[in-house]
Amino acid sequence: MQILVINAGSSSVKAAVIDPETGKRSLEMNAERLLDAPLIEFSDGTKIELESKGPERAIAVCLEALKDKLKDTPIAGVGHRVVHGGEDFDRAARIDEEVEAKIEALEKLAPLHNPINLRGIRAARELFADVSHFAVFDTAFHQSMPRRAKTYALPKDLMAEHGIRRYGFHGTSHKYVAAEAARYLGAQPKDLRIITCHLGNGCSVAAIEFGRSVETSMGMTPLEGLVMGTRSGDLDPGIIPYLHEQTGLPPEEIDELLNRQSGLKGLTGVGNDMRTILDESTKGNADCQLAVQVFTHRLRKYIGAYAAIMAGVDAIVFTGGIGENSPIIRHRASQRLSYLGAIINEDKNATTRLSETAPVVDFSMQHSRVKLLAVKTDEQLAIARECGKLIEKADAVNTLPTIPV
Amino acid sequence: MQILVINAGSSSVKAAVIDPETGKRSLEMNAERLLDAPLIEFSDGTKIELESKGPERAIAVCLEALKDKLKDTPIAGVGHRVVHGGEDFDRAARIDEEVEAKIEALEKLAPLHNPINLRGIRAARELFADVSHFAVFDTAFHQSMPRRAKTYALPKDLMAEHGIRRYGFHGTSHKYVAAEAARYLGAQPKDLRIITCHLGNGCSVAAIEFGRSVETSMGMTPLEGLVMGTRSGDLDPGIIPYLHEQTGLPPEEIDELLNRQSGLKGLTGVGNDMRTILDESTKGNADCQLAVQVFTHRLRKYIGAYAAIMAGVDAIVFTGGIGENSPIIRHRASQRLSYLGAIINEDKNATTRLSETAPVVDFSMQHSRVKLLAVKTDEQLAIARECGKLIEKADAVNTLPTIPV
Ligand SMILES: Nc1ncnc2c1ncn2[C@@H]1O[C@H](COP(=O)(O)OP(=O)(O)O)[C@@H](O)[C@H]1O
Ligand SMILES: Nc1ncnc2c1ncn2[C@@H]1O[C@H](COP(=O)(O)OP(=O)(O)O)[C@@H](O)[C@H]1O
């Protein structure tokens, strides 16, 4: 079975054709700079430069080029990454008019993401009209959080009126790496309490208790929680009105500042890339050294907090560009956790290299009660698998049961 | 030695004359409703109703009444509670013109508190002109926090320009109860890792590692951290611009909303008093039940986070009106912490009654590696003690050393 997975962003579209069983990709597409000078690259080496036709058309144009490439590939279904699923979606959904309308209605909560995801869905449904399309939501996995974790301490009517609660994001990745970790440990997610640390450009932590997300660090928006590439993460809420009063910046510009000028970038002034920051900090740049400390201190607090929520933890998982590739960050986050039963194997941590064939590495000591794991995440594959399952289920329903002999 | 301790607030002034050695109070004054109908009550039973003369005069009038009462009591010094000590003060300070000027300069950071604290200082220095006055800061104890704990992930220049960092508050109480806990355990604060939970109308947690505060939940302002009587505590920072956009409320009104209409009050609609909320939740009020869950869930996250920071914990201390008096909250916060080595003794917890003669109660099991303690806080006594120490030190310097025989 081949699933086409589409992730439509404001300035880029990523797509891949994946076999959900094997994880093999037969084609990948990467389209960037959609807003000014669109450039489409395919994994077969083709590059297409386009004239800008405005954001509305750009996605459709990319998908047309993709369709052209897929003339001879039978696609079983199309999976779309959708950022915000609100209250409505606690799992992937087959897209129909009703689902489209619901995604549209959630624009209020995700004005930067849902409208663009929807644009991708609409363009793709027109072009690939004879297969089923599925929406896979970043928020869905966290719908299982108990109310005490979802609820902010704000006036209740205000929260109800405006849909203010913790939704959480990166759910597809958290769920995927927790399942990979369980498989590696010869167990089921339902047997384990896992803390998953997704550390990429965006960063979040989740507490996954016996297979269900019970807490996560991103909140109503993807701004809360860990220090990220350009996002502040947690902040005294009193700072925003204070900044407004001191600088005269309107709230929407402060929001922009917190989302795009803060985090590692704001702390260091050298950009949002953790590799650069680690390099500079090794060379003695004090701002970069502090940024790394603030980053890992915050992460440790979440690890500790989520251990308390689950009354202990069985495995701590590091994933995303930073979690998969940085022994220094993993070391700083997981040293001195022996009070939890987690004892790092420094040699293994330093030599860990994840790959297709080794997507999970255990870098804890053999006698460590809590396993420390680096796990390669793969959100595209996770989306393809969700779609594959939904297609199989539908097929199962539509097939006459075999008659037992 | 008798120390006069003054806590000047916007609508109330509290004062006490205390012997820092014994903790005995020879007189207490409580003045309330300063803004409309001032009423002064003394511990000897006297009540004075005043005509309102405006907030400027109100504090002075109260202190004049107090001075009158103290005609025959020799006062060794006056201790003033000051909320914000900024970068300047990491301990109590003898007040002179320079200190006054510094407190004034911090108005920007604590516009609701420092100006009023200063008004109290100025009035008292005029009336009690022949003794030393001392400022004891809520922030001072937390000055020892490492930079990784103080620093938000915002643009560094912006933070430097506007003094944005974690300061922390309730420091006098955290320090006091940690010392009481250590004394009770036959140890010194420098031997222990203690998590102190101050749960009153305002609530905060501190991580006190070997006598030094290394983290605390309140931040640049007293709004961050735990759920409080009327304050939201932690919040996705993205919620503020969202609320502004949705409701049109200006940032200063959102600030007001987060400080005065949120927390337990906002969640329940029945007010900010934990006793009422616990009563109602026992009677089945679902909002109150949820509020208690949100309150304790947040608290548990902080306990877990601070254990991670200190790589374990030796004692967890509950104080403040809620921490001292509510077995239910203590139970919910400290159950299922055996992964940390903390095992609650439910019977002891349920029967714990703190008093002058039993200001500390251990409600953990005898075999619990981590001690769970309820400790009576006494910020007035703590202020008196700080002053007493400073006076003794000055006296020691001004006295010829005794000649050893
Ligand atoms: N070897 C490495 N060491 C440290 N950080 C790395 C390394 N490789 C990648 N990263 C970091 O991973 C981050 C990007 O993560 P990624 O998961 O690819 O991003 P996204 O969230 O956009 O998917 C960047 O900060 C990058 O510097
Ligand atoms: N027996 C009790 N059970 C639960 N909460 C209590 C009890 N007694 C007092 N409290 C709560 O303590 C809080 C006030 O704490 P306190 O430390 O006195 O306040 P402040 O921070 O103003 O000094 C209120 O929420 C009150 O309901």
Side-chain angles (χ1 to χ4, degrees):
Chain A
M1 192 195 296
Q2 299 289 329
I3 304 289
L4 170 60
V5 175
I6 297 175
N7 183 351
S10 57
S11 67
S12 71
V13 179
K14 285 183 188 157
V17 178
I18 310 185
D19 178 336
E21 303 276 305
T22 63
K24 261 244 160 76
R25 282 152 168 84
S26 52
L27 184 72
E28 288 182 90
M29 182 191 84
N30 239 314
E32 285 186 345
R33 289 186 286 156
L34 293 195
L35 301 181
D36 42 358
L39 172 69
I40 312 180
E41 295 187 79
F42 288 95
S43 51
D44 64 5
T46 331
K47 284 187 194 181
I48 308 178
E49 279 183 58
L50 296 170
E51 262 177 61
S52 170
K53 306 204 169 143
E56 296 281 333
R57 276 292 294 152
I59 291 175
V61 171
C62 295
L63 294 181
E64 278 158 21
L66 178 67
K67 187 177 179 186
D68 206 49
K69 286 266 168 201
L70 292 177
K71 275 197 303 282
D72 305 320
T73 316
I75 297 291
V78 183
H80 296 268
R81 181 199 179 201
V82 179
V83 167
H84 216 305
E87 292 278 351
D88 293 322
F89 299 104
D90 63 355
R91 66 196 70 191
R94 187 181 292 263
I95 299 174
D96 55 18
E97 300 317 303
E98 201 187 323
V99 168
E100 265 195 24
K102 279 185 179 170
I103 294 172
E104 190 163 17
L106 289 165
E107 284 188 12
K108 190 174 94 170
L109 285 168
L112 300 177
H113 298 104
N114 273 32
I116 288 160
N117 298 155
L118 194 57
R119 204 180 282 160
I121 290 172
R122 288 187 170 144
R125 285 185 77 195
E126 248 175 56
L127 285 168
F128 302 90
D130 46 359
V131 295
S132 289
H133 290 243
F134 302 91
V136 181
F137 302 93
D138 270 32
T139 51
F141 182 53
H142 301 299
Q143 281 283 88
S144 55
M145 284 188 292
R147 286 212 300 157
R148 61 179 173 275
K150 283 181 187 168
T151 309
Y152 293 106
L154 293 176
K156 61 188 159 77
D157 297 337
L158 194 76
M159 292 192 285
E161 187 182 341
H162 298 289
I164 297 174
R165 43 158 276 210
R166 181 182 306 286
Y167 293 99
F169 299 89
H170 286 154
T172 310
S173 175
H174 287 294
K175 183 179 173 186
Y176 176 84
V177 296
E180 286 289 290
R183 199 179 45 75
Y184 179 87
L185 296 172
Q188 303 278 329
K190 72 172 170 46
D191 303 320
L192 299 168
R193 295 161 303 176
I194 307 181
I195 296 172
T196 48
C197 310
H198 179 104
L199 312 175
N201 278 310
C203 301
S204 69
V205 194
I208 304 176
E209 191 175 32
F210 309 131
R212 291 156 48 99
S213 170
V214 294
E215 252 289 10
T216 190
S217 59
M218 284 179 168
M220 193 193 82
T221 79
L223 179 56
E224 193 177 359
L226 296 178
V227 178
M228 311 184 211
T230 63
R231 282 174 245 164
S232 65
D234 294 330
L235 208 64
D236 183 337
I239 290 174
I240 298 179
Y242 174 76
L243 262 181
H244 170 73
E245 196 229 301
Q246 294 290 317
T247 63
L249 285 175
E252 51 281 13
E253 281 180 41
I254 295 178
D255 196 35
E256 184 78 10
L257 181 94
L258 301 181
N259 273 291
R260 297 195 201 276
Q261 305 300 331
S262 298
L264 297 174
K265 184 178 173 188
L267 281 169
T268 65
V270 310
N272 65 331
D273 194 300
M274 182 58 98
R275 265 166 309 196
T276 317
I277 288 160
L278 288 170
D279 284 351
E280 289 296 317
S281 84
T282 317
K283 290 186 204 142
N285 180 319
D287 290 332
C288 290
Q289 290 169 348
L290 179 61
V292 172
Q293 288 182 355
V294 173
F295 182 93
T296 46
H297 180 72
R298 184 88 56 87
L299 178 56
R300 284 177 73 85
K301 286 202 279 183
Y302 273 99
I303 291 173
Y306 291 180
I309 285 175
M310 300 190 289
V313 54
D314 301 305
I316 304 174
V317 170
F318 294 83
T319 192
I322 301 171
E324 292 169 26
N325 299 307
S326 175
I328 303 177
I329 298 294
R330 286 195 304 257
H331 158 81
R332 297 229 183 168
S334 44
Q335 66 182 335
R336 299 208 315 146
L337 291 183
S338 52
Y339 82 97
L340 270 185
I343 304 163
I344 186 170
N345 181 329
E346 298 288 3
D347 293 329
K348 265 200 178 169
N349 178 44
T351 55
T352 289
R353 298 279 174 281
L354 297 180
S355 66
E356 305 262 303
T357 51
V360 182
V361 170
D362 178 351
F363 64 97
S364 49
M365 299 296 264
Q366 219 186 326
H367 66 282
S368 179
R369 271 188 292 118
V370 178
K371 290 296 143 193
L372 298 167
L373 303 175
V375 179
K376 212 171 149 55
T377 193
D378 191 338
E379 291 175 77
Q380 287 182 326
L381 174 55
I383 291 173
R385 282 195 191 151
E386 297 275 353
C387 299
K389 266 192 292 178
L390 288 173
I391 290 170
E392 271 166 20
K393 218 191 266 171
D395 288 351
V397 173
N398 297 332
T399 309
L400 284 176
T402 52
I403 297 157
V405 196
Chain B
M1 194 195 295
Q2 299 289 328
I3 305 288
L4 170 59
V5 175
I6 297 175
N7 183 352
S10 58
S11 67
S12 71
V13 179
K14 284 183 188 158
V17 178
I18 309 185
D19 179 335
E21 303 276 306
T22 62
K24 261 244 159 76
R25 284 153 167 83
S26 53
L27 184 71
E28 288 182 272
M29 181 191 84
N30 239 314
E32 286 184 346
R33 288 186 286 157
L34 292 194
L35 301 181
D36 43 356
L39 173 68
I40 312 180
E41 293 186 82
F42 288 94
S43 51
D44 65 4
T46 330
K47 285 187 194 182
I48 308 177
E49 280 184 57
L50 295 170
E51 263 177 61
S52 171
K53 306 205 169 141
E56 296 281 334
R57 276 291 295 152
I59 292 175
V61 171
C62 293
L63 294 182
E64 278 159 21
L66 178 66
K67 186 175 179 184
D68 205 49
K69 286 266 169 201
L70 292 177
K71 275 197 304 282
D72 306 320
T73 316
I75 298 290
V78 183
H80 296 268
R81 180 198 180 203
V82 179
V83 167
H84 216 306
E87 291 278 352
D88 293 321
F89 299 104
D90 63 356
R91 64 197 68 189
R94 189 180 291 263
I95 298 175
D96 54 19
E97 300 317 304
E98 201 188 324
V99 168
E100 266 195 23
K102 282 184 177 172
I103 294 171
E104 191 163 17
L106 289 166
E107 284 189 10
K108 189 174 92 169
L109 285 168
L112 300 177
H113 297 105
N114 273 32
I116 289 161
N117 297 155
L118 195 58
R119 203 180 281 160
I121 290 172
R122 288 186 169 144
R125 283 186 78 194
E126 246 175 59
L127 284 168
F128 301 90
D130 47 358
V131 294
S132 290
H133 290 243
F134 303 90
V136 181
F137 301 93
D138 270 31
T139 53
F141 182 54
H142 302 300
Q143 281 285 86
S144 55
M145 284 189 292
R147 286 211 301 156
R148 61 177 174 277
K150 282 181 188 168
T151 309
Y152 293 106
L154 293 176
K156 61 188 160 76
D157 298 336
L158 193 78
M159 291 192 286
E161 186 182 343
H162 298 290
I164 297 175
R165 43 159 278 208
R166 181 182 306 287
Y167 292 99
F169 298 90
H170 286 155
T172 309
S173 175
H174 287 294
K175 184 180 174 186
Y176 176 85
V177 296
E180 286 287 292
R183 198 180 46 74
Y184 179 87
L185 296 172
Q188 302 277 329
K190 74 172 169 48
D191 304 320
L192 298 168
R193 294 162 304 175
I194 307 180
I195 296 172
T196 48
C197 310
H198 179 105
L199 313 174
N201 278 311
C203 300
S204 69
V205 194
I208 304 175
E209 191 175 34
F210 309 131
R212 291 156 48 98
S213 170
V214 293
E215 252 288 10
T216 190
S217 59
M218 284 179 168
M220 193 194 83
T221 78
L223 179 55
E224 194 178 358
L226 297 178
V227 178
M228 312 183 209
T230 63
R231 281 174 245 165
S232 65
D234 294 330
L235 208 64
D236 183 336
I239 290 174
I240 298 176
Y242 174 78
L243 261 182
H244 169 72
E245 196 229 301
Q246 293 291 315
T247 63
L249 285 175
E252 51 280 14
E253 279 179 42
I254 294 178
D255 196 36
E256 184 79 10
L257 182 95
L258 300 181
N259 273 292
R260 297 194 201 277
Q261 304 299 332
S262 299
L264 297 173
K265 183 178 173 188
L267 281 169
T268 64
V270 308
N272 66 333
D273 193 301
M274 183 58 98
R275 263 166 309 198
T276 317
I277 288 160
L278 288 170
D279 284 352
E280 290 296 317
S281 82
T282 317
K283 289 185 205 144
N285 181 320
D287 291 331
C288 291
Q289 289 168 348
L290 178 61
V292 172
Q293 288 182 355
V294 173
F295 182 93
T296 46
H297 181 71
R298 184 90 53 89
L299 177 56
R300 283 177 74 85
K301 287 204 277 183
Y302 273 99
I303 291 174
Y306 290 180
I309 286 176
M310 299 190 289
V313 54
D314 302 305
I316 304 174
V317 169
F318 293 83
T319 191
I322 300 171
E324 293 168 26
N325 298 309
S326 175
I328 302 178
I329 298 294
R330 287 194 305 256
H331 159 81
R332 297 230 184 169
S334 44
Q335 67 181 334
R336 300 208 314 146
L337 291 184
S338 51
Y339 83 97
L340 271 185
I343 305 162
I344 187 170
N345 181 328
E346 298 288 3
D347 292 330
K348 263 201 179 166
N349 178 45
T351 54
T352 289
R353 297 280 174 279
L354 298 179
S355 66
E356 305 263 301
T357 51
V360 183
V361 170
D362 178 352
F363 63 97
S364 50
M365 299 295 264
Q366 218 185 327
H367 65 284
S368 179
R369 272 188 292 119
V370 177
K371 290 296 145 194
L372 298 166
L373 304 175
V375 178
K376 211 170 150 56
T377 193
D378 192 336
E379 292 175 76
Q380 287 182 327
L381 174 55
I383 291 173
R385 282 195 192 152
E386 296 276 354
C387 299
K389 267 193 291 180
L390 287 172
I391 291 170
E392 270 166 20
K393 218 193 265 173
D395 287 352
V397 172
N398 297 333
T399 310
L400 283 179
T402 51
I403 297 157
V405 198

